[in-house]
Structures are given as structure tokens and as C-alpha cells.
Amino acid sequence: MQLSKLTLAALCAIGVAACAHQYSSSLPGGIPLIEQHQPADDVVAIPYQKFELANGLTVIIHEDHSDPLVHVDVTYHVGSAREELGKSGFAHFFEHMMFQGSENVADEEHFKIVTEAGGTLNGTTNADRTNYFQTVPVNQLEKMLWLEADRMGFFLDAVTQEQFDVQQATVKNERGQMVDNRPYGRLWERVSQAMYDFGHPYSWPVIGHMDDIDRTTMADLKQFFLRWYGPNNAVLTIGGAVDTEQVLPLVEKYFGPIPRGPEVTAMEKSPARLSENRYISMEDNVHLPLLFISIPTVYAGHPDAPALNVLADILGSGNNSLLYQSLVRPSLAVQASAGHSCMELACTFTMMALAHPAAGKSLADIEAIIRQNLADIQQRGVLDNDLNRAKAAIEARSIFGLQSVSGKVSQLAYNQTFFKQPDRIADILASYQAITEDDVLRVYRQYVLEQPGVIMSVVPRGQLHLIAAEDNFTPRTFDPELDVSESQLADLPMRRAVDNFDRSVMPVAGANPAIRVPETWSMQLANGIDVLATENDETPTTALLLKIPAGNFYNSPEQAGLAAMLAAMLRESTQNFSAEAISMALDLLGSTVRASANDQDINLFISSLTSNLVATLELVEEILLRPAFKEEDFKRLQQQALQGLEHSLKDGSFLANNAYRQLMYGDSIAALPGIGTLESIAAMTVEDIQAYYQQQFKPAGGKLIAVSDLSEPELSPVLIGLLADWQGKGAALEFMVEHPEVKTATVYLVHKDNSPHSDIRIGRPALPRDLTGEFYEATLMNFVLGGAFNSRINLNLREDKGYTYGARSWFSGDQFSGLFTASASVRADVTAASIREFMHEIDHYRSSGITAEELQFMRNAINQSEALRYETPSAKLGFMAQMLEFSSGPEFTEQRNQLVESISQERINQLAKQYLDTAEMVIVVVGERDKVLPQLEELGYPIIEL
């Protein structure tokens, strides 16, 4: 869909055309057309048609023929809020179970079928809904409908106790890895428990309590499925290069015979109501004390929600916000923010701050400053720019949200599920356009000012003296002996579909769609920047990626973090404007400018509505050519970097990556994290940053990639004018990788306190990256070992053993060197067993090689995935960045396709023998020493403690 460039006022003034009538009787069963939404071409909106099957399934179809792919989403209106006391985590458990096969899809085949079709897939659960989705080449649509229908209507009879047990272990692993072993991981769980009354649908975590998960039985799960997973409680949304009249018969064929489930009524809106502040606290394995304040407000879709969002923006979004100015700028906090989080039944207004240890402030002091900020809003009022910034942001977000078919389908599914109105863009834009200063001040006084909330303190272990106040609230917890209530899940009958076709036969995909590689044009700017661009007229936007050869590898080990600090300083004050003024100007344009450093480049990512491109690029020139390098900005960023690194040193994955890199790269800059080390950051000065900028931050040799709805004649003059006064060439990169001699077939153990999980890295030096050479061949070889969800490693450690939430292996590299790495975060009690399984899978693959079936699976999966590679501007930027990096034309994609088709079993097996010798690998383990050392000793490897 092509959109013209409109102002926000114009967008909101245009109406939306819609009609409702019965669809053509030639369609199966005369499927009723509930609504047809076909707005004018110049309106920011998502066209769709909405239907309803006789069994209650809502079907939404959005036609978008810009790319030969389709996105299929099934959203069930069931999340953790539909669960019962003592039975938490059921909806999330089903997110796992429904990938385990169904009556006509074998165990562990769902992922394999979608991957082999060249697609991607996943599922997500929150308090209010669960969704399952996949993006595939359009010729695979029927197969996706067959898959989704099979688990909707033919799931329960296929569930085995073994599948149940494995996924129960996997869910517990996920909770351990993503909640219990993550810094501040239990924050939301504790706050929700204090915010909502005992038994409120939001009072337990989506992932569930561990005790509830342990008590769960397969009978419980089956009843939960029968209650909530009927077609009348689901929305099927299909978007992409489809024809509605061809899709509907397929939908009717696969979903039509599935019987309705029990009727589902809307839950009552139930924002929390507190009579006084509730203070709670916890010690955690963290470095920085955190204060989190949460105040109940309204619910999703409430008319006051947009004004509350603007209020949160004023208080805590960006460096113009009150909290940034009062806490972060004076270095009282490392980070501070505010937000307004909405769910179906309730919303909360939140404020948080990570206290800066050097400031010597307790969380009580931080709370006092936050409350003073709240009080100051009455005197400050609401400024014109507060409202204009919010309106610009919602306009830009609405347009950028149309860049992918998955993004559009997600919006349609969400809005239908909760508001029965699939496309709400016009309404949302209008609601923000109508907000006044009085509206914001009214909601401020009504919902936030002096209103009670939950105040959570999270402090490092042994530092309870830092909490904001003594706990005055203890939540009631579930007692299975006492809290017994009548269940709504009892004795629901099984439902069986009656088909007039053989559902056990998987549909055959049609011919692969023609893939259109982006057509590019190129030039070189007078200052030596190489430009590669493509026209993309799906949305009126422009995305730019500027790469300047000044990355981490230009720094010595003693300078580690210098490039990253320069990138951060580029978003601070300039010679003519404060950082706040630059940020406000970008916000009012709805534009984004981000700077970051990687190994070889400092990257500037620029995203803009094309109508605002020239104004955005004027700001980019100011940022790049006239940085102020103020001492106060540097000192603040330096302290934030130090505290951020201290925080990262509490994270097992960060520690494992650090130790692994040091073993692989020794004393080289490549061994050190891009952010730097505590020593290098502390020794850095603003003069170092200035000197590095003057020496290295030069345009010659740089690369500029552009994706825009502007044609070459329209865009090239804009780019030629960009940075015309910027001249010079930085020093050449003098960098060589020499892998140190380390003891291989050895376990290197890093101790981490109070760790319920262990982080494992297994690997060795490999080969530099290329596009079509041996490196690429090695990635093909690894695909079935650890490169896909249903790879040997992941199926073993996650699906068969239940040791981890996920395990994988991969080849990584740049033009200098590369690595082969296998990794997972596993339960501490199975650390040694996990290493044993890793080594078994790698050794077995090396000795026995790839099977003919696996080889064909790899070929199908990789070649058919090409339809998904160029859809969004971001994907196109990445694709073209590769072309510039390797001085290649787009023909490399065809060379890769031919390589995938022609690579032999013998070549795959040769590469496996060459790069998968575990005797040449190191094993890094980050975990609690007392828990894991006795296990590791049983493996028989030498152990070196780092």
C-alpha cells in the first residue's frame, strides 16, 4: 500500500469508508462479510475484510501484494487473566504445548514444517491473550492454515504424558532463566501481587508460580483447553499477497468443521483501588538499587488513556523529561523513566529510577525527588511542545507500523480481539489530536497526584538500609489446603470435528513465488562516502544507515570503549544546541537518530517521515559535524557506562561471553566488550574522545545505505547536499587477530553467586566471514546441528531432556577471524549433563555426518526463506550493507541459492570433520561453584577456575 505524505491534522480529518453485507453466495456456506474496510489511498489505515464462520471464528483478511509472503496469526482471547487461583501459568503452558504436535502433525514437527517452508514462527502469551503466528512465502499459506486448524481442533487426543512432562520442565527453565536468574526479574511479579487484591486476574504472573506449575496435571490442561480454545474465542488474521476469494474456501475447509467451544463473556474492567501506599522490598543479585512506583489508573481503550500517556511522556520520556532533568542529568540516577502501561482490565502509571551509588542517595531520597517532580507539574503546566511531541510520535508510529505485513496483521488481530474494530489508527490519531492541556492536567489530578500506589525497592544483597521505607504490606499467598473454590473447568466434554476430506494429508505447496531482489542505485559523494540506495514506496518514509570506519577495532585494548563513548557523545550537546534541544526537534518531526559502535564502524541510523527528511538531515549534520564534547556530558556518560558495566557483571550470559572472548582472542581488543572495561572507562577523558573524533571520525571510506519512497532523481540531490562540508580520511585499520594458545578440551569455570542456572559456551576459532565461500558453507553445515529450532542440539537439550529454554550453535565472523560457538543457559543441577549432551551431538554429527533427509530439509528451509529477506526497510538496509561490505552486487543471492542446491553430503561432512573437533574446543561455564564443580569433575575434563 502506498501512502502519500499527510499532516496529522489532515489524517484525522479524513473519514474511513466501510460497508457491511453478505459476501458472494459462491463462497462456501455463504460466509457472511461482517465488514469491509477500504479507506482512501491517502489515509493512514489498514484495509481489511472481516468474516465470521458458522462456528464463531472471526476471520480478517488484509491484501498486501508488495512482497510474495503471507503472515498468519491466530489470537485466542485467553491469557493468564482467565486462569484460577492456584492454577497460574496455564495459558503460557499452552503456548509451549501447542507446538508439540497434534493429531495429524507429529511430535516436534510443527517447527520443522514451518522452517522447511522457509518461514518463521512463534507464539506469545500475556495476561489477556495468546497468539500463534508464522510468516511464510505465500505459496505455503494452505499448509499454515492446516497446521493452525489442526492444533485448534485436533490437539487434545495427541497430547502425551511425556510431552507434558518435558514442556513442564521447559517452562520451569524459562522461568529460571528469564525471571529468577535475571537481575530485577521478579519486579513485575512482586508489584502485581501488591497492586491487585488476592484473586484478581492480574495478581499472578503470566509465566505462573513454580508451585502451581508443579501441581499442574494433564487433566487440568485439557479442561483449560476445552474451556478457552474454541473457534468462537479466536481471531484468525491473514495478511499478505493473497486473494480473499481464494483464501476463504481454504479457511472454511480447515476451520469450518471445528465445533464451537463454550460461550465466552467479556471480563469486567477492574483497575486496582488502593487506600494507602503499599511499600514492599526485596534483595536481589544486582548492582544498582531500583525504585519502582506504580499507581493504578484506568483500562485499555479508556478515553483518558491518551492523556495519561502524554503525562508519562512529560514526566519520564527522553532527556527533556522532568525525571531525566532532576535525576539523570545531575547523576543522582543512572536511569529514570515513566510510563503508562495498559492491559484489557487495568492500567498503571509507573515511575522508576536506578540510583547512582556514587551520589550517596537512598531510595527514600529518590522517592522524594520523584514526588517533588509530580508536584511540580501543577506549577509547570503542559507546554505546547509536550502535546506536539506526542502527536508527532503517534503519527510517525502509525506510519512506521505499516512497514511489515506482520506488524499490520498484529494490529488487526489485537484490535479485533479487544475492541471488535480491527483498524483503529484513525481513532487513535484523532484521540491524540483532541488532547488539550486541560485534559492532561485533569488526568494528572484525578489519577496520579497524591494517589496511593505500590512502591517497590530492589536493593543489592545485604543493603536493605537503602530501601525507600519499611515494608507495610504482605500479600496473601495461595494455600492449596484452604483456598479451594468451584472451578469453571470441570467436566467439559470433548469436541470432535467431522470432516469430508482426509485431514491427515498435509497440503502440498504451490510453486515458489518469484522473488524480487531490491533494485539499487549507487554513487559516491565528493567526500568519499559510498552510497547504495533503493526505492521503496510502501510507506512515505526514509531510512538511512551511515557507517563511518571508526569502530572498536581502531582502539587499543587500553582504549576499549572509546568508539562506543564517541557514539554516545554524538547524541549529546552540539556547538549550537543542547542535547535537549536536538532531541525535542527530532521528536517534533517524528524522527529517530541512533548512534552505536561495532567492531569496524560507528553507525548512525536515521528514520524519518519523508516529508520531514530535509529538516531531519539538517539536525544530523549538526550532530555529526559540530559535537560540543562538554565535560559535564562526558562525566555523566562515563558514570552511566561504569554503572552499566557493573550491572552487566551480574549477568551470567555477559560473564560467559566475556570469558569466552578472552580465551579466543587473548590480549586483543577483540577480546574485550565493546562498552569497554571498568579500567578503560575509568581512565578515559573527554580529551581522548575529542582526539579520536579529530583523527578517525572522517567520511572517506564511509558507507551510506538508503531506503526511501523517493526515486533516485528525488533522493540523490538530498544526499549530495548532505555533509558536503565534511572532508577527510581517518587512519587505516591496522588489526590482526592472533588466537592465543589455550588449553582445549578443558572446562573454564567462572563463579556467579546465587545462580539457579549455568551459562555454557563451547567453541573454537573457525574462519572469517564471507558471502558465498567456505564460511557460508559452514553455516549451511551447522543448520541442522544447531542453527534451527528443530536442530539436533535444541531437540536434545530442550525438547527431549528439558534442560534448557533453548540451545543452539553458530558460526560468527568478520573479515579478520571467526568462531564456532555452541551455547545454552541450563538448570544448575544439569550443568554437567548438558555439556555431555552438547559434546555427544557435536561428536556424533562430526563422525556420522548429515543425513539425506536433513540435507533436503536445509535446502528447502534456506532457499524458500528468500521471500522474507527484503520486506521491511530495516531488512533492505541490512541486505545492502552486506553488498557494500563485500563489494558485491545483488547477484550474490543467486550464487547462494545455487550453492545451497549444489552442496553435497560429502562437502557438508568434510566441513563437519574440519571444524567440529571437540578436542580443539574450550568449555566455559558460568555458575555457582559449589553447585556445579562436583558435577564438572565427573566429566573428566581438566578444570581451570577463572
Side-chain angles (χ1 to χ4, degrees):
M1 175 177 62
Q2 184 174 0
L3 302 171
S4 66
K5 307 166 185 66
L6 298 173
T7 65
L8 181 62
L11 289 171
C12 297
I14 297 173
V16 178
C19 62
H21 58 268
Q22 295 297 303
Y23 203 80
S24 167
S25 60
S26 64
L27 291 169
I31 300 173
L33 172 62
I34 305 301
E35 181 183 4
Q36 179 165 305
H37 182 67
Q38 190 60 50
D41 288 342
D42 56 359
V43 175
V44 181
I46 309 173
Y48 65 85
Q49 291 175 292
K50 180 166 73 172
F51 305 86
E52 185 175 305
L53 302 190
N55 59 11
L57 177 67
T58 299
V59 181
I60 300 169
I61 300 177
H62 162 66
E63 295 192 24
D64 175 359
H65 295 271
S66 56
D67 294 283
L69 53 83
V70 62
H71 186 82
V72 178
D73 177 290
V74 178
T75 295
Y76 295 91
H77 196 170
V78 54
S80 59
R82 299 282 192 183
E83 296 161 358
E84 300 174 5
L85 269 171
K87 295 182 177 181
S88 64
F90 279 31
H92 176 257
F93 203 139
F94 263 106
E95 182 201 317
H96 285 255
M97 290 298 297
M98 287 177 72
F99 285 105
Q100 299 310 300
S102 46
E103 234 174 272
N104 301 294
V105 181
D107 184 17
E108 299 174 351
E109 283 292 300
H110 196 112
F111 271 94
K112 182 178 180 181
I113 290 169
V114 177
T115 303
E116 190 168 20
T120 61
L121 72 161
N122 212 333
T124 67
T125 310
N126 63 29
D128 303 316
R129 62 100 186 100
T130 306
N131 71 337
Y132 303 88
F133 51 89
Q134 41 268 310
T135 307
V136 293
V138 67
N139 63 312
Q140 303 285 343
L141 171 60
E142 184 175 1
K143 196 180 296 180
M144 299 307 108
L145 297 176
W146 171 77
L147 279 171
E148 287 291 358
D150 212 59
R151 61 180 169 190
M152 179 186 285
F154 301 85
F155 170 72
L156 286 185
D157 283 346
V159 177
T160 67
Q161 186 66 45
E162 181 182 2
Q163 290 172 332
F164 174 86
D165 292 341
V166 169
Q167 292 312 309
Q168 189 177 46
T170 301
V171 169
K172 291 163 71 174
N173 282 325
E174 182 179 0
R175 181 185 165 94
Q177 182 177 337
M178 307 302 289
V179 179
D180 299 330
N181 199 36
R182 174 171 287 183
Y184 314 107
R186 294 187 60 214
L187 172 69
W188 279 105
E189 180 176 323
R190 289 289 310 279
V191 170
S192 297
Q193 203 174 28
M195 173 68 69
Y196 299 103
D197 292 340
F198 181 72
H200 187 284
Y202 291 164
S203 64
W204 51 78
V206 173
I207 199 168
H209 290 299
M210 195 71 79
D211 289 346
D212 293 350
I213 295 170
D214 284 335
R215 280 193 301 269
T216 301
T217 67
M218 196 154 70
D220 292 332
L221 265 293
K222 287 188 174 184
Q223 286 298 305
F224 190 79
F225 182 89
L226 289 168
R227 177 66 187 89
W228 300 114
Y229 290 81
N232 50 307
N233 196 35
V235 176
L236 168 64
T237 310
I238 302 165
V242 299
D243 182 278
T244 300
E245 295 208 16
Q246 294 176 5
V247 171
L248 280 175
L250 298 176
V251 171
E252 174 65 26
K253 174 181 178 179
Y254 292 111
F255 289 90
I258 301 172
R260 295 177 71 94
E263 293 308 306
V264 176
T265 56
M267 300 181 74
E268 183 179 353
K269 308 298 185 184
S270 51
R273 292 291 176 257
L274 305 179
S275 58
E276 62 179 0
N277 284 324
R278 294 178 174 178
Y279 284 89
I280 57 174
S281 65
M282 65 177 285
E283 296 177 274
D284 199 359
N285 190 19
V286 297
H287 170 65
L288 300 172
L290 179 145
L291 182 75
F292 190 90
I293 301 174
S294 185
I295 301 171
T297 58
V298 290
Y299 52 83
H302 190 283
D304 286 342
L308 284 161
N309 293 339
V310 174
L311 176 63
D313 211 44
I314 295 169
L315 190 65
S317 178
N319 57 9
N320 283 286
S321 67
L322 298 181
L323 292 182
Y324 184 91
Q325 291 296 321
S326 64
L327 287 169
V328 180
R329 179 158 283 284
S331 294
L332 300 179
V334 175
Q335 181 183 336
S337 63
H340 185 237
S341 175
C342 277
M343 297 187 288
E344 182 180 14
L345 309 181
C347 303
T348 53
F349 192 93
T350 60
M351 296 158 283
M352 64 79 64
L354 286 167
H356 197 308
K361 300 289 186 182
S362 70
L363 293 182
D365 299 323
I366 300 295
E367 182 187 0
I369 296 171
I370 291 176
R371 294 199 180 280
Q372 184 59 53
N373 274 273
L374 279 175
D376 289 346
I377 290 177
Q378 285 203 104
Q379 183 174 357
R380 174 191 183 274
V382 178
L383 309 179
D384 288 344
N385 275 348
D386 294 333
L387 298 178
N388 293 336
R389 185 172 67 157
K391 293 170 183 179
I394 196 67
E395 176 190 9
R397 191 157 58 241
S398 297
I399 294 174
F400 291 135
L402 306 179
Q403 292 183 331
S404 72
V405 69
S406 63
K408 289 183 284 187
V409 165
S410 297
Q411 290 187 61
L412 293 171
Y414 170 84
N415 288 313
Q416 172 60 32
T417 299
F418 297 113
F419 305 106
K420 308 305 179 189
Q421 181 187 348
D423 177 27
R424 297 176 64 238
I425 293 177
D427 287 353
I428 293 170
L429 287 169
S431 69
Y432 276 86
Q433 180 68 13
I435 294 173
T436 66
E437 175 185 351
D438 289 342
D439 291 327
V440 178
L441 291 176
R442 176 182 57 78
V443 299
Y444 157 72
R445 297 185 186 105
Q446 180 176 348
Y447 300 108
V448 179
L449 181 64
E450 298 179 356
Q451 296 300 312
V454 174
I455 300 94
M456 173 79 176
S457 300
V458 184
V459 297
R461 296 188 189 281
Q463 298 187 36
L464 279 172
H465 62 282
L466 295 176
I467 65 175
E470 291 296 320
D471 290 19
N472 66 357
F473 178 78
T474 301
R476 181 181 166 191
T477 57
F478 177 78
D479 185 336
E481 299 297 324
L482 301 175
D483 297 311
V484 179
S485 59
E486 185 177 347
S487 174
Q488 57 184 329
L489 302 180
D491 300 326
L492 293 171
M494 291 288 286
R495 303 186 296 271
R496 295 293 302 177
V498 178
D499 289 324
N500 58 5
F501 68 99
D502 187 355
R503 197 178 285 265
S504 68
V505 178
M506 182 170 66
V508 176
N512 287 342
I515 308 301
R516 202 173 47 182
V517 176
E519 295 182 6
T520 62
W521 56 269
S522 63
M523 65 179 181
Q524 187 178 71
L525 303 184
N527 58 13
I529 293 178
D530 292 318
V531 175
L532 188 64
T534 189
E535 184 178 349
N536 178 56
D537 64 359
E538 294 176 39
T539 55
T541 61
T542 297
L544 302 172
L545 177 61
L546 177 63
K547 302 173 72 67
I548 301 301
N552 303 323
F553 284 177
Y554 289 86
N555 305 147
S556 69
E558 294 74 26
Q559 297 173 314
L562 191 60
M565 187 63 75
L566 172 55
M569 289 290 287
L570 292 175
R571 291 297 287 114
E572 293 294 327
S573 305
T574 71
Q575 294 170 17
N576 298 309
F577 300 98
S578 68
E580 289 82 358
I582 290 280
S583 291
M584 179 61 75
L586 288 169
D587 289 345
L588 292 172
L589 294 169
S591 301
T592 299
V593 176
R594 296 195 302 267
S596 62
N598 60 21
D599 288 346
Q600 296 184 61
D601 299 302
I602 288 181
N603 300 303
L604 209 72
F605 173 76
I606 304 149
S607 178
S608 172
L609 301 178
T610 300
S611 57
N612 295 332
L613 179 60
V614 172
T616 300
L617 294 183
E618 289 173 355
L619 295 170
V620 169
E621 284 197 323
E622 180 71 19
I623 288 168
L624 291 178
L625 304 189
R626 289 175 284 279
F629 296 121
K630 290 184 177 179
E631 179 76 21
E632 62 185 277
D633 290 339
F634 169 74
K635 287 295 186 185
R636 185 181 67 259
L637 292 176
Q638 183 184 42
Q639 286 302 310
Q640 288 176 1
L642 286 169
Q643 299 306 322
L645 187 53
E646 290 275 15
H647 170 72
S648 296
L649 293 172
K650 298 290 186 179
D651 181 77
S653 179
F654 182 86
L655 292 171
N657 290 336
N658 263 6
Y660 181 60
R661 275 198 310 267
Q662 289 170 16
L663 291 169
M664 294 294 99
Y665 295 116
D667 297 328
S668 163
I669 183 67
L672 302 175
I675 190 177
T677 65
L678 293 174
E679 295 76 16
S680 67
I681 297 171
M684 205 177 291
T685 67
V686 71
E687 289 77 18
D688 294 333
I689 305 297
Q690 287 178 301
Y692 187 59
Y693 173 84
Q694 292 296 335
Q695 168 206 303
Q696 199 60 47
F697 200 74
K698 304 295 182 183
K703 301 174 179 63
L704 178 62
I705 304 104
V707 179
S708 177
D709 65 323
L710 296 176
S711 65
E712 179 180 356
E714 293 172 310
L715 183 60
S716 57
V718 177
L719 299 183
I720 289 171
L722 174 66
L723 309 173
D725 296 332
W726 190 25
Q727 300 292 326
K729 183 176 184 178
L733 179 58
E734 296 179 1
F735 177 78
M736 287 185 60
V737 170
E738 293 185 7
H739 296 289
E741 289 188 13
V742 295
K743 192 171 182 182
T744 57
T746 298
V747 174
Y748 293 84
L749 175 61
V750 179
H751 171 65
K752 179 177 180 290
D753 285 332
N754 301 295
S755 181
H757 272 63
S758 298
D759 282 271
I760 297 171
R761 303 290 183 273
I762 300 170
R764 52 155 294 173
L767 66 172
R769 183 167 170 259
D770 58 52
L771 291 182
T772 57
E774 189 166 304
F775 177 91
Y776 184 67
E777 289 182 307
T779 65
L780 301 181
M781 176 269 288
N782 176 70
F783 190 79
V784 299
L785 174 66
F789 180 89
N790 50 305
S791 66
R792 294 186 183 192
I793 286 173
N794 195 56
L795 288 183
N796 182 336
L797 274 80
R798 172 180 161 136
E799 298 299 296
D800 295 342
K801 302 295 191 306
Y803 290 166
T804 179
Y805 182 49
R808 64 193 187 107
S809 64
W810 69 95
F811 283 85
S812 60
D814 53 35
Q815 68 185 67
F816 304 102
S817 67
L819 302 174
F820 167 78
T821 308
S823 79
S825 176
V826 303
R827 293 198 326 266
D829 64 307
V830 293
T831 303
S834 298
I835 293 172
R836 191 177 290 114
E837 295 304 324
F838 262 122
M839 297 311 228
H840 166 74
E841 291 295 348
I842 296 170
D843 286 338
H844 181 66
Y845 190 54
R846 181 173 185 263
S847 61
S848 301
I850 192 170
T851 67
E853 181 185 1
E854 287 175 327
L855 179 60
Q856 190 58 49
F857 165 72
M858 179 272 291
R859 286 175 173 159
N860 294 342
I862 292 178
N863 269 349
Q864 294 188 121
S865 67
E866 189 175 3
L868 281 62
R869 292 177 196 163
Y870 322 114
E871 181 194 7
T872 64
S874 178
K876 289 180 172 71
L877 285 177
F879 170 72
M880 293 191 295
Q882 289 184 94
M883 290 170 57
L884 280 180
E885 180 182 356
F886 290 94
S887 302
S888 171
E891 67 275 0
F892 84 85
T893 59
E894 181 56 35
Q895 295 168 6
R896 280 186 165 185
N897 292 341
Q898 292 173 1
L899 183 58
V900 172
E901 284 300 321
S902 63
I903 195 167
S904 65
Q905 273 184 282
E906 292 73 21
R907 177 58 176 157
I908 293 282
N909 295 341
Q910 177 190 1
L911 290 165
K913 290 186 184 301
Q914 184 174 354
Y915 292 110
L916 299 183
D917 186 353
T918 54
E920 298 177 357
M921 297 183 189
V922 300
I923 305 164
V924 174
V925 176
V926 176
E928 193 164 356
R929 182 185 186 277
D930 292 345
K931 291 180 182 176
V932 302
L933 184 57
Q935 302 176 49
L936 297 175
E937 289 172 339
E938 295 177 4
L939 291 174
Y941 293 109
I943 298 174
I944 298 175
E945 297 188 49
L946 300 180

